[in-house]
């Protein structure tokens, strides 16, 4: 039912697009999608309605529904889809240990507890890195693994059956690059739409721990695509995971996959096989995943098995019914597909942490801030519920695609409850606001988070 309603909302948006209204998510000031994705999206939608775009794997049912609706009057977005199907009880969906001090398990996913990052480096060990699985971590063998690249956007125009293939050793022999980058779920911070803004949203109720940063190593996707024979006519590149097909509300949406505009695919995307100097762990994409720096985590497809390169626009549920902003704030009811992550900050403290230090000279607070839109240049901290602010000290050099660690000395804290807050400013000048407009699936919560503590 939820998905049905999403489809209606989307069709409404498509109709709107056809009437020539330019859909810009930046109207709400929250995100700045790249012009590439906006342009491609408009083209995808026009071509889809003309029957030219290929939406293979969108279920027949939802396609028929979309097609029917695209010729009728647009309808408003109503409610949101339910959460992912939970893992089968007793069968772990995540392979690595999930000690409760480090992780909070949420369905098939594991959120990093921010207090567990205190004292750790800028790159976080895999033992602490959050996991977002639509189904379950597959156990793959690098020796049998192949990356198959196919599609009419390659010189030889191979079909999926006779794709250009790379094995693990082929990939390891190509010129490698190292990339320090965070991966963050678009839904990170989602629970605060409800707890701070009183809004109902669907999806995993993350606090701020659906982010992690590591040092990735692998081959630029541009190198792989050029070796595979990408042509100037290619416009969309769609990586697909080898994990199980994803079933939501009784509908099989197929394998996890999401198109990338070719401009991003050829820019800074990494086909990664190492995390922090070791082979990728199973939960983080072994043997090979994409890292799409600064974009919503869903773009960084894990366990990648094939990549389609297309001269016509590609669609998947992950750029149509998920990972757009749905709601009244957007013309036609939906934003373009999400690209860059917004600015956020988190204290390395438990929720309702007890801080030992009432009456002492100072309590040192630490945290991390990040932005997908540019380097974080300034962080401010409030110890009085976001009323007055003071500068925190940055412990890392601001860098693109990376978080910065910071510290703040809270002078003479009074005993009792207090509300902490941190807000970052990135190089675009954007500072975290006090609140953000809602969207039904609760993506991109970039507002200041009020963090309760008690000083004892
Ligand atoms: N194949 C596949 N890739 C995937 C996913 C998935 O479920 N399957 N989840 C995506 C989402 S929504 C996020 S936020 C990131 C999470 O990466 P991590 O689990 O390594 O932290 O992986 C992305 N890549
Ligand atoms: Mo995600």
């Amino acid at each position: 039912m939820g998905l049905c309603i999403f489809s209606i909302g989307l069709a409404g948006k498509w109709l709107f697009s056809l009437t020539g209204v330019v859909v810009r998510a930046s109207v709400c000031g929250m995100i700045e999608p790249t012009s590439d994705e906006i342009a491609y999206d408009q083209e995808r939608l026009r071509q889809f309605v003309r029957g030219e775009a290929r939406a293979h794997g969108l279920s027949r049912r939802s396609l028929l529904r979309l097609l029917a609706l695209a010729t009728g009057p647009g309808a408003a977005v109503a409610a949101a889809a339910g959460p992912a199907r939970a893992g089968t009880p007793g069968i772990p969906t995540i392979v690595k240990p999930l000690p409760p001090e480090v992780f909070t398990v949420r369905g098939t996913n594991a959120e990093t507890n921010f207090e567990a990052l205190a004292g750790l480096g800028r790159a976080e060990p895999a033992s602490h890195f959050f996991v977002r699985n639509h189904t379950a971590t597959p156990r793959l063998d690098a020796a049998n693994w192949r990356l198959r690249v196919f599609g009419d956007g390659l010189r030889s125009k191979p079909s999926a059956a006779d794709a250009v293939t790379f094995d693990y050793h082929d990939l390891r022999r190509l010129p490698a690059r190292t990339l320090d980058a965070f991966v963050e779920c678009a839904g990170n911070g989602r629970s605060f739409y409800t707890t701070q803004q009183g809004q109902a949203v669907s999806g995993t109720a993350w606090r701020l721990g659906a982010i992690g940063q590591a040092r990735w190593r692998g081959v630029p996707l541009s190198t792989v695509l050029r070796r595979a024979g990408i042509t100037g006519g290619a416009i969309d590149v769609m990586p697909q995971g080898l994990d199980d097909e994803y079933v939501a509300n009784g509908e099989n949406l197929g394998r996890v996959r999401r198109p990338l505009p070719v401009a991003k695919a050829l820019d800074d995307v990494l086909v990664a096989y190492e995390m922090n100097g070791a082979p990728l762990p199973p939960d983080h994409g072994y043997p090979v995943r994409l890292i799409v720096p600064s974009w919503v985590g869903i773009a960084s497809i894990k366990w990648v098995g094939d990549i389609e390169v297309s001269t016509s626009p590609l669609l998947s549920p992950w750029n149509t019914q998920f990972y757009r902003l749905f709601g009244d704030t957007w013309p036609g009811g939906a934003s373009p597909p999400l690209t860059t992550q917004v600015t956020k900050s988190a204290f390395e403290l438990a929720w309702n942490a007890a801080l030992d230090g009432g009456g002492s000279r100072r309590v040192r607070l630490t945290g991390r801030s990040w932005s997908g839109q540019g380097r974080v240049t300034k962080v401010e901290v409030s110890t009085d519920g976001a009323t007055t602010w003071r500068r925190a000290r940055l412990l890392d050099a601001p860098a693109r695609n990376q978080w910065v660690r910071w510290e703040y000395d809270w002078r003479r804290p009074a005993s009792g409850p207090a509300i902490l807050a941190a807000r970052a400013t990135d190089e675009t000048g954007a500072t975290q606001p006090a609140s953000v407009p809602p969207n039904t699936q609760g993506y991109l919560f970039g507002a200041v988070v009020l963090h309760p503590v008690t000083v004892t």
Side-chain angles (χ1 to χ4, degrees):
M1 184 56 188
L3 288 171
C4 166
I5 291 165
F6 272 125
S7 303
I8 293 170
L10 190 64
K13 187 255 172 160
W14 290 5
L15 267 187
F16 227 92
S17 305
L18 289 168
T19 62
V21 173
V22 178
V23 179
R24 279 196 159 277
S26 51
V27 290
C28 66
M30 283 173 71
I31 59 164
E32 230 172 70
T34 69
S35 52
D36 285 318
E37 185 62 300
I38 290 174
Y40 283 136
D41 185 45
Q42 295 297 301
E43 186 58 19
R44 280 188 192 112
L45 298 172
R46 275 193 297 271
Q47 296 199 15
F48 179 78
V49 173
R50 290 202 304 264
E52 292 165 7
R54 293 183 17 266
H56 61 196
L58 285 181
S59 81
R60 205 179 131 67
R61 194 149 66 89
S62 81
L63 262 182
L64 289 173
R65 202 185 292 132
L66 290 171
L67 286 166
L69 286 160
T71 56
V77 173
R85 184 178 56 167
T88 311
I91 299 176
T93 58
I94 296 175
V95 171
K96 71 183 176 184
L98 301 172
E101 325 77 84
V102 179
F103 292 104
T104 302
V105 174
R106 303 193 187 279
T108 55
N109 316 296
E111 171 167 0
T112 302
N113 298 332
F114 243 91
E115 65 271 28
L117 297 182
L120 295 185
R122 196 176 198 179
E124 159 192 15
S127 59
H128 287 57
F129 207 99
F130 86 106
V131 181
R132 164 65 175 121
N133 280 352
H134 280 74
T135 59
T137 296
R139 300 313 302 262
L140 303 174
D141 179 356
N144 305 328
W145 174 87
R146 299 286 181 278
L147 176 62
R148 303 172 323 117
V149 186
F150 68 96
D152 67 358
L154 300 183
R155 255 192 308 281
S156 54
K157 302 196 188 311
S159 68
D162 51 19
V164 178
T165 63
F166 298 80
D167 67 21
Y168 193 64
H169 294 289
D170 294 335
L171 217 57
R172 286 239 174 213
R173 276 195 296 268
L174 291 174
R177 197 171 292 169
T178 297
L179 173 70
D180 290 308
F182 65 76
V183 172
E184 184 187 18
C185 191
N188 196 22
R190 177 180 283 127
S191 66
F192 300 110
Y193 278 108
T194 306
T195 58
Q196 284 191 194
Q197 302 192 167
Q199 292 146 357
V201 292
S202 66
T204 305
W206 306 106
R207 282 184 180 147
L208 287 168
I211 178 170
Q213 180 171 318
R215 172 160 293 182
W216 312 96
R217 189 163 173 80
V219 182
L221 179 57
S222 60
T223 304
V224 171
L225 293 175
R226 291 204 172 96
R227 299 241 168 180
I230 191 170
T231 66
I235 62 169
D236 265 339
V237 168
M238 181 143 72
Q240 177 167 257
L242 291 166
D243 41 339
D244 281 347
E245 295 177 335
Y246 178 58
V247 177
N249 299 319
E251 195 168 10
N252 186 342
L253 301 178
R255 293 191 189 275
V256 177
R257 62 201 186 283
R258 189 178 197 249
L260 274 174
V262 78
K264 180 68 173 174
L266 293 178
D267 179 14
D268 57 357
V269 178
L270 196 68
V271 181
Y273 46 70
E274 276 184 14
M275 180 182 192
N276 299 328
L280 290 179
D283 296 311
H284 299 292
Y286 179 83
V288 173
R289 78 175 301 170
L290 293 195
I291 295 293
V292 181
S294 86
W295 279 33
V296 286
I298 184 61
S300 294
I301 295 292
K302 302 191 278 189
W303 314 295
V304 62
D306 56 69
I307 300 179
E308 177 171 4
V309 182
S310 176
T311 60
S312 57
L314 298 176
L315 298 166
S316 93
W318 288 268
N319 74 336
T320 56
Q321 68 207 41
F322 307 122
Y323 302 103
R324 294 176 184 244
L325 306 179
F326 293 96
D328 297 337
T329 316
W330 296 273
S335 76
L338 299 180
T339 57
T340 50
Q341 289 286 106
V342 295
T343 310
K344 297 196 188 74
S345 301
F347 288 92
E348 293 171 341
L349 286 175
W351 209 248
N352 296 313
L355 298 177
D356 184 10
S360 67
R361 253 186 68 244
R362 51 154 226 211
V363 168
R364 176 155 293 179
L365 304 173
T366 62
R368 299 177 188 232
S369 297
W370 59 95
S371 169
Q373 299 170 340
R375 301 174 304 156
V376 168
T377 51
K378 181 171 83 172
V379 178
E380 298 158 288
V381 166
S382 169
T383 55
D384 58 6
T387 307
T388 58
W389 296 91
R390 285 166 166 274
R391 285 288 267 267
R393 207 162 29 253
L394 301 189
L395 303 177
D396 293 307
R400 240 189 117 60
N401 311 320
Q402 296 196 56
W403 53 20
V404 291
R405 292 169 297 170
W406 45 260
E407 64 184 22
Y408 177 81
D409 287 332
W410 185 6
R411 308 270 167 201
R412 302 188 189 290
S415 294
I419 302 288
L420 305 182
R423 71 178 180 200
T425 302
D426 65 35
E427 64 184 318
T428 71
T431 296
Q432 292 182 251
S435 68
V436 288
N439 62 91
T440 61
Q441 295 182 53
Y443 296 128
L444 304 186
F445 187 87
V448 169
V449 168
L450 302 176
H451 190 134
V453 296
T454 303
V455 181
T456 58

